[in-house]
Amino acid sequence: MDRYERVPIEEESREERVKKFALIDQPYTLEEAMIEGQRCLECAMPYCIQGCPITQDCRGYNVLVGQGKFDEAARLTLRDNPLATVLCKTCYHFCEDDCIMTGRGVPIAIRHLKRAALEFGKSDLLYVPSKRKDERVAVIGAGPAGLMAAWDLAVRGHSVTVFENEPFLGGQINTIPRYHLDPDDLDTDLARWRNLDITYVVGKRAGTDYTPKSLLEEGYEAVLVSIGASKARELGIPGENLPGVYHALPFLLAMNKRPEGLFGRTNRRIVVIGAGDVALDAARSARRLSGGGDVQLVYRRGPEDMKATEEEKMGGRIEGVQYVFFRSPKEILGTDHVEGLVVERTEHGPLDAKGRRTLVTVPNSEETIECDMVIVAVGEVADVSGFDPDYGFKFASMGWPEGTREGWMTDVEGVFATGGRSVVHAMGAGERAAAAIDAYLAKKHGRAPEPRPDPFGGPNPPELPSGYGGPTWTP
Ligand SMILES: Cc1cc2nc3c(=O)[nH]c(=O)nc-3n(C[C@H](O)[C@H](O)[C@H](O)COP(=O)(O)OP(=O)(O)OC[C@H]3O[C@@H](n4cnc5c(N)ncnc54)[C@H](O)[C@@H]3O)c2cc1C
């Protein structure tokens, strides 16, 4: 096999994909994984590790898989990544974007090798807490940012309580379609956490049942707000409240958890409004919901402005989603149910002060797209209603609250906030917030801050797996 060619990743055919709601990517066989792992150049300056928001030692597990040392590869993967079963199928693999082989051919299939490490190696390991500390920490929001922070703090020996509004853990991971992620993958990861001192309180909303300040008053010494951005941005056009109009996150959650409710109507003609990854997930799910029906993705700009990743755009094309560019939604038609979407044509106008192309609507260019379902996917913002304005949150461009001071602290002493734009970014943000909280508590109690110990109770710094020379570069 040519070192510059990737071992192909088998995928379901287009015809099969839209018939079922199941994983598209097929795993490598053990032999295929070893051949792909052997393509890794073991760079002295591993851009893959630097490009990963949780600085996973991906070079390490590539090499170990290439040597057939799957147990060691699984342990190394899980050492830095407590949600590895989720990430080995869903990560946008920034490591691969930065892999040096990208410039010489095709990057190493790092995400797929992570999956092989877990599937062929011993991955039912258990995390252990280090020496217990007496401080209690509260985490609000059980998405990947909050879960990663809880894991990191618990491994450091803190007692952590995670408060979650929904009756389930995982945040937006629950909306990731099943053609990307198996429904029990998050549980597989969380099963490794069972010896850590983490208590989950689900079905309780911050801002209604408690606030960060009330938790401080109850004796928690630090509170992390990691509530993500899950309140739908609205289009603000007539007809948006008609039956048959969905916002993308409730639609995708229903597809994963309660699809019966959505299958009540024929739904053969579905329009999705938006052009990001969430819009593509909604459109690709809609193709499955409608049994291969007519699904149009309406976007007010052109293809070059779409925010979705290449993988999602390509997936949509392969699965038959029709892209309708330069159309701006004006009104949703219908009396007791959606019947159509009125759009206006748009075109590029002059450049604005920042040099960006403006968009203008073309006069008298209205047209109606007939449809029986509309899914709105134009972004989300955090819902901080009921939170005290004193926190002084700033909001990231993608909508979640962040701390205003250095180290993710808000204007209120002991209250921190963070979030992220992908699962691994959210985990990286949670990991850094946890380190900041640990440093804050160490200072408060007169201790020196320490690095996170080996989560399997091994020596600190952790010993390198046998057969792998280990990084020559330290994150
Ligand atoms: C449809 C979809 C598909 C995606 N696909 C991928 C993918 O394939 N790969 C990838 O890397 N990323 C993907 N993402 C992005 C990724 O899921 C998010 O970036 C990530 O989940 C954000 O993590 P977070 O912890 O900051 O917030 P969230 O995941 O939003 O978690 C926040 C949690 O806080 C809870 N909460 C909110 N308000 C309150 C409150 N007042 N009180 C208590 N709890 C509260 C919420 O219920 C939620 O559980 C996808 C996102 C969506 C929506």
Side-chain angles (χ1 to χ4, degrees):
M1 178 111 204
D2 184 340
R3 186 158 207 163
Y4 299 109
E5 258 180 50
R6 176 183 274 198
V7 177
I9 297 164
E10 294 295 325
E11 290 185 350
E12 289 276 16
S13 69
R14 168 182 170 165
E15 292 72 29
E16 284 306 309
R17 284 180 189 204
V18 292
K19 274 193 225 152
K20 56 187 183 192
F21 211 48
L23 274 190
I24 295 171
D25 283 354
Q26 302 305 307
Y28 277 148
T29 62
L30 188 140
E31 293 74 22
E32 285 172 338
M34 285 182 65
I35 296 169
E36 181 63 15
Q38 285 159 18
R39 292 210 306 129
C40 179
L41 295 176
E42 284 190 68
C43 305
M45 176 61 78
Y47 296 119
C48 54
I49 304 179
Q50 294 181 40
C52 172
I54 55 169
T55 52
Q56 266 233 267
D57 190 351
C58 21
R59 180 186 58 173
Y61 65 73
N62 288 346
V63 173
L64 290 167
V65 166
Q67 295 171 347
K69 295 183 173 161
F70 288 96
D71 286 351
E72 285 95 334
R75 191 184 191 285
L76 185 65
T77 302
L78 293 167
R79 186 193 73 192
D80 309 324
N81 186 346
L83 297 178
T85 317
V86 169
L87 278 183
C88 75
K89 293 175 190 161
T90 61
C91 192
Y92 295 138
H93 49 70
F94 305 97
C95 49
E96 293 181 24
D97 296 346
D98 289 349
C99 172
I100 196 134
M101 289 292 271
T102 308
R104 303 183 184 189
V106 187
I108 311 298
I110 302 175
R111 185 178 73 191
H112 246 59
L113 292 181
K114 193 201 317 280
R115 185 168 169 188
L118 298 184
E119 287 184 2
F120 299 120
K122 183 173 165 38
S123 58
D124 58 344
L125 305 170
L126 290 180
Y127 294 119
V128 294
S130 72
K131 199 167 143 285
R132 199 181 155 75
K133 301 185 175 75
D134 287 329
E135 300 111 32
R136 291 162 69 214
V137 180
V139 171
I140 303 175
L147 287 176
M148 180 72 179
W151 173 85
D152 184 298
L153 288 161
V155 167
R156 290 170 189 267
H158 296 286
S159 171
V160 184
T161 307
V162 178
F163 294 87
E164 167 57 48
N165 180 37
E166 297 287 348
F168 43 80
L169 307 175
Q172 291 176 24
I173 290 174
N174 294 283
T175 60
I176 299 179
R178 290 191 182 169
Y179 51 83
H180 284 317
L181 187 67
D182 281 322
D184 47 3
D185 284 336
L186 179 63
D187 290 341
T188 302
D189 281 330
L190 294 180
R192 296 186 199 99
W193 300 29
R194 60 178 176 268
N195 288 344
L196 299 176
D197 184 1
I198 305 179
T199 306
Y200 302 100
V201 180
V202 295
K204 299 273 180 218
R205 184 183 179 279
T208 311
D209 301 311
Y210 53 89
T211 64
K213 274 192 193 157
S214 75
L215 294 174
L216 289 177
E217 283 156 17
E218 273 179 42
Y220 290 98
E221 293 197 41
V223 178
L224 175 64
V225 178
S226 47
I227 59 172
S230 48
K231 190 170 122 185
R233 277 187 221 268
E234 305 211 333
L235 288 169
I237 60 172
E240 202 168 354
N241 295 323
L242 273 171
V245 180
Y246 291 83
H247 285 273
L249 296 198
F251 168 79
L252 288 164
L253 193 63
M255 282 292 286
N256 282 346
K257 297 216 180 268
R258 309 176 281 275
E260 328 69 58
L262 294 169
F263 284 98
R265 295 183 67 91
T266 321
N267 295 324
R268 295 289 302 167
R269 296 166 308 170
I270 303 177
V271 170
V272 178
I273 301 170
D277 287 321
V278 175
L280 258 300
D281 275 338
R284 296 175 67 185
S285 299
R287 280 280 290 162
R288 288 160 173 81
L289 175 71
S290 61
D294 173 18
V295 176
Q296 303 189 46
L297 188 120
V298 171
Y299 182 40
R300 64 198 175 97
R301 292 181 174 271
E304 66 285 358
D305 289 325
M306 288 180 80
K307 293 219 167 62
T309 55
E310 279 309 316
E311 207 171 322
E312 287 293 343
K313 286 191 275 190
M314 180 64 77
R317 255 180 245 121
I318 292 172
E319 291 167 16
V321 173
Q322 300 161 52
Y323 295 87
V324 181
F325 295 112
F326 292 107
R327 297 289 187 283
S328 176
K330 192 170 180 207
E331 183 180 356
I332 301 173
L333 301 177
T335 41
D336 60 347
H337 199 273
V338 171
E339 289 167 14
L341 173 72
V342 180
V343 292
E344 284 179 305
R345 285 221 325 273
T346 56
E347 59 186 23
H348 285 137
L351 298 181
D352 68 10
K354 288 188 177 161
R356 291 175 307 202
R357 279 171 306 185
T358 55
L359 209 60
V360 292
T361 49
V362 177
N364 306 318
S365 64
E366 279 183 16
E367 52 194 80
T368 300
I369 303 174
E370 287 185 11
C371 56
D372 37 39
M373 189 178 203
V374 171
I375 304 168
V376 182
V378 293
E380 294 79 31
V381 286
D383 180 1
V384 289
S385 55
F387 280 69
D388 196 315
D390 288 357
Y391 299 118
F393 295 129
K394 60 180 181 188
F395 291 90
S397 60
M398 291 185 70
W400 60 85
E402 289 182 334
T404 40
R405 296 197 238 167
E406 203 185 324
W408 282 269
M409 209 188 301
T410 67
D411 288 349
V412 175
E413 173 88 19
V415 178
F416 298 73
T418 197
R421 70 181 161 94
S422 72
V423 174
V424 75
H425 278 100
M427 288 172 69
E431 182 180 46
R432 288 189 296 279
I437 291 171
D438 185 66
Y440 164 76
L441 294 175
K443 190 171 173 196
K444 190 172 161 194
H445 292 276
R447 294 192 304 268
E450 290 168 3
R452 183 176 70 216
D454 179 70
F456 298 114
N460 203 14
E463 57 188 20
L464 294 165
S466 59
Y468 164 53
T472 48
W473 169 85
T474 321

